[in-house]
Amino acid sequence: MSEASTASKAARTVAVLTAALTAAAVAPAHADPDPAGPTTVRASVDRSGAQLHVPSYGQDLSAGFAARATFTTAGPVWEGDTNGLTDVYFGDSVISSGHPRGTGNGPSRGGAPCASGRMTAFVSEATNITSTPAPDDRPTVYVRNRAVGKVSRASQSFEGTPFAWAARPKVSDDCMWVSFTAALEGPDGTAGQPRVYRYRIYDGTVRLVSEPSARADRSSISYDGRYVAYESRGNVYVRDLDTGTLEKASVARDGGPADGRSSGASLSGDGRHVAFDSTASDLAAGDRNGGVNVFVRDLDAGTTRLVRGESQRATTYEAALATDGTHLAYVSAARGEGARVPAVFLRELATGKTQLISADVGGGRNDRPARRPSVNDDGSVVAFDSASADLVAGDTNGVRDVFVRTLPTGPGASTR
């Protein structure tokens, strides 16, 4: 093992302890768990608690504010939401508001909070988000400090060259870093190839994470911002930004190139584990369903685990790791004879215990597709979206809503 790899492994061990201590310090007090069983609530509602009548999506849970998720909707969620465009909300608080008040004059999306919810990133095409108007409506990543209301522009430029567009931000749980995808503006004004960057919130510096010679997208960032996972050229990579080392996670069992494409990286808080989707059949033993599956790579041990679906031919995809790396949320759908709609599941990785998350009010499976799970720090809360009408009582809007399912914990807790 190289000195750089040894340093990364040691740093991950330290990060586990640091993350645990910090999470304990910033996480809010939790009520005693309900021993009766899991509960599901609709998160995308207006300030009176009523359902919305337009789709809601783009959910992302904070690790600390466990039962609160960001989401995107055209609302309106509150009486001041009059722009008729998509806005980003954290609970019922608008994140993508214009300056000095009101809503943005362009669409916003892609909200992503840190553990405490203090820093929340989003993408907007509005020109009135900050006190200094943006020169045009190019998609830009912003970060809102919810404690003081200050907004910073994360994707302004890199080494003096402005970004043509930016998308898909992720905020580290320590509220100090943002990873995002962006393309630099070329000399002729066109956009170059997308790459992954990391922004430091407190001094505004931007660093290139991915290789400069290849397209890259869909990043995931560790608790302290040191590690960033992303997809590029059909593979998933993890960059250690302290040492500069780059490790491929989507490798075949013999260490060679995989025989399929991998994407959708989700990184644990300490940067040790990365989950991703792949069509490859040679990443782990027993992969015989001929479709996409979720895999979890232990970068320290150099091992890859296959996450099987609910049946032999079922696929698994849209991997989402809990911050502590103990639980994995994902979507599974059975194919062929006996096909079933995609549903969200949660698996305890140490035991293999699996629960249906997108359960209806009777405990059965959702009747319309559920997708894009997001999981909190310890796997006790999962957010997802679905147009199913029977996940909560009184759902009559016929559109996608964002739901949050809370699982009971502790002795005697039921998981039915």
Side-chain angles (χ1 to χ4, degrees):
M1 182 178 292
S2 67
E3 291 183 5
S5 297
T6 301
S8 287
K9 184 173 182 179
R12 289 183 184 119
T13 302
V14 173
V16 173
L17 299 175
T18 303
L21 291 172
T22 307
V26 302
H30 294 284
D32 291 335
D34 178 3
T39 58
T40 300
V41 298
R42 180 167 37 206
S44 52
V45 294
D46 68 20
R47 287 187 175 175
S48 69
Q51 64 184 344
L52 304 175
H53 292 281
V54 296
S56 301
Y57 50 89
Q59 55 277 359
D60 197 354
L61 279 172
S62 67
F65 279 68
R68 298 187 67 184
T70 57
F71 63 90
T72 299
T73 186
V77 172
W78 65 299
E79 61 276 8
D81 185 355
T82 58
N83 61 3
L85 303 169
T86 56
D87 298 295
V88 175
Y89 283 86
F90 185 59
D92 63 359
S93 300
V94 63
I95 298 300
S96 56
S97 58
H99 181 86
R101 59 182 59 87
T103 49
N105 59 11
S108 300
R109 57 191 176 275
C114 67
S116 69
R118 178 185 177 94
M119 299 294 182
T120 303
F122 62 96
V123 179
S124 185
E125 297 174 36
T127 61
N128 64 336
I129 298 297
T130 58
S131 57
T132 302
D136 52 44
D137 61 356
R138 66 184 63 187
T140 300
V141 171
Y142 295 91
V143 181
R144 179 173 294 277
N145 184 331
R146 296 179 55 251
V148 299
K150 180 181 177 181
V151 180
S152 58
R153 198 175 294 164
S155 62
Q156 191 161 348
S157 63
F158 175 67
E159 296 182 345
T161 302
F163 287 110
W165 59 264
R168 289 180 279 280
K170 290 292 181 182
V171 184
S172 63
D173 283 340
D174 67 359
C175 305
M176 294 183 64
W177 309 89
V178 182
S179 63
F180 60 92
T181 301
L184 292 172
E185 186 178 283
D188 59 354
T190 59
Q193 65 181 359
R195 301 184 180 95
V196 171
Y197 297 84
R198 186 187 70 174
Y199 170 78
R200 184 182 174 95
I201 293 174
Y202 292 101
D203 64 11
T205 56
V206 178
R207 181 173 173 182
L208 178 64
V209 174
S210 59
E211 295 291 276
S213 59
R215 297 172 62 91
D217 197 2
R218 300 185 186 279
S219 63
S220 180
I221 192 166
S222 67
Y223 189 98
D224 60 359
R226 174 172 177 171
Y227 302 96
V228 177
Y230 63 90
E231 62 184 64
S232 178
R233 296 171 292 192
N235 286 291
V236 168
Y237 296 88
V238 179
R239 172 81 73 185
D240 181 340
L241 286 153
D242 280 6
T243 66
T245 56
L246 183 66
E247 186 170 354
K248 185 193 290 187
S250 52
V251 294
R253 281 177 287 167
D254 62 3
D259 63 5
R261 298 182 65 84
S262 301
S263 61
S266 178
L267 199 60
S268 62
D270 61 1
R272 174 172 176 169
H273 296 91
V274 58
F276 56 92
D277 306 343
S278 184
T279 59
S281 63
D282 58 355
L283 303 184
D287 184 358
R288 293 184 292 271
N289 69 351
V292 64
N293 292 293
V294 170
F295 297 86
V296 180
R297 177 76 172 176
D298 184 329
L299 297 170
D300 287 355
T303 57
T304 301
R305 174 189 301 193
L306 167 66
V307 178
R308 299 179 187 274
E310 54 195 310
S311 65
Q312 187 174 359
R313 288 184 55 79
T315 57
T316 56
Y317 51 96
E318 295 187 0
L321 264 181
T323 304
D324 66 7
T326 60
H327 291 76
L328 174 81
Y330 59 92
V331 174
S332 181
R335 302 177 301 160
E337 186 177 353
R340 308 180 75 181
V341 298
V344 173
F345 294 85
L346 181 74
R347 181 163 300 175
E348 185 177 10
L349 292 173
T351 65
K353 178 182 177 182
T354 303
Q355 300 181 53
L356 174 65
I357 295 299
S358 52
D360 63 25
V361 291
R365 190 189 186 96
N366 48 292
D367 56 13
R368 297 183 68 179
R371 64 171 202 167
R372 202 183 178 278
S374 176
V375 62
N376 72 330
D377 54 347
D378 62 359
S380 60
V381 184
V382 183
F384 63 95
D385 68 54
S386 180
S388 285
D390 56 357
L391 302 181
V392 296
D395 190 344
T396 59
N397 60 8
V399 297
R400 271 189 293 158
D401 295 302
V402 172
F403 298 93
V404 172
R405 187 160 178 88
T406 303
L407 306 173
T409 59
S414 169
T415 58
R416 293 174 298 167

